[in-house]
């Protein structure tokens, strides 16, 4: 788990962009979820009159593969706007901050944790508890955390 936390904190712009491409999708005529292509996103960003960014498919591909790592603010604004405009309305807004943050936001970490069905079940049950019961649950979790061996190679 600690290795996953380190990896999330060291997430590059390319990784964040690719995560957006993987999660922000459109439905084809048969209702299947599809990823936007690099060319589609570059064209949409360039054609959007609400910001001054122009973006070629090849430059966006270089941002996605990590060979270019320092886009202009207008490019970041254009990308954030595209993905925000096309995101699921129930998901949190996508901002420039999300693209450039060195560490994931609290909302991002919460969404990642809640992606697990087990975590959602625990959270829902905890939400139905009284404050006293939640305090007791947190104390039990603290005791369980103390028993966790931080060395993954130990076999425990």
């Amino acid at each position: 788990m600690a290795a996953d936390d380190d990896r999330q904190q060291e997430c590059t712009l390319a990784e964040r962009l690719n995560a957006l491409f993987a999660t922000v999708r459109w439905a084809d005529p048969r209702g299947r979820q599809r990823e936007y292509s690099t060319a589609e996103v570059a064209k949409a960003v360039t054609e959007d009159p609400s910001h001054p960014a122009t973006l070629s498919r090849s430059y966006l591909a270089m941002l996605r593969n990590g060979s270019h790592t320092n886009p202009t603010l207008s490019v970041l604004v254009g990308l954030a706007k595209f993905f925000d405009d096309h995101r699921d309305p129930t998901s949190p807004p996508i901002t420039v901050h999300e693209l450039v943050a060195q560490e994931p936001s609290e909302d991002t970490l919460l969404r990642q944790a809640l992606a697990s069905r087990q975590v959602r079940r625990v959270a829902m049950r905890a939400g139905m508890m009284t404050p006293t019961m939640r305090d007791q649950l947190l104390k039990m979790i603290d005791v369980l955390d103390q028993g966790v061996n931080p060395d993954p190679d130990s076999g425990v």
Side-chain angles (χ1 to χ4, degrees), residues 65-121:
N65 71 26
S67 62
H68 279 67
T69 59
N70 194 20
T72 64
L73 181 58
S74 64
V75 166
L76 292 171
V77 168
L79 287 167
K81 184 175 184 314
F82 173 84
F83 286 109
D84 189 58
D85 288 350
H86 294 87
R87 70 181 165 83
D88 180 333
T90 61
S91 65
I94 297 167
T95 64
V96 171
H97 180 338
E98 292 290 325
L99 285 174
V100 297
Q102 294 299 312
E103 295 182 5
S105 70
E106 191 172 304
D107 285 344
T108 301
L109 293 173
L110 180 61
R111 275 185 274 130
Q112 289 170 348
L114 290 175
S116 164
R117 184 172 180 265
Q118 287 178 319
V119 171
R120 286 193 310 273
R121 287 181 60 206

Side-chain angles (χ1 to χ4, degrees), residues 117-133:
R117 184 172 180 265
Q118 287 178 319
V119 171
R120 286 193 310 273
R121 287 181 60 206
V122 169
M124 293 297 292
R125 291 189 62 186
M128 293 184 276
M129 294 178 174
T130 66
T132 302
M133 291 174 69

Side-chain angles (χ1 to χ4, degrees), residues 50-65:
S50 69
H51 56 78
T54 58
L55 186 60
S56 70
R57 179 204 53 78
S58 59
Y59 182 67
L60 181 53
M62 288 185 274
L63 289 173
R64 289 187 72 185
N65 71 26

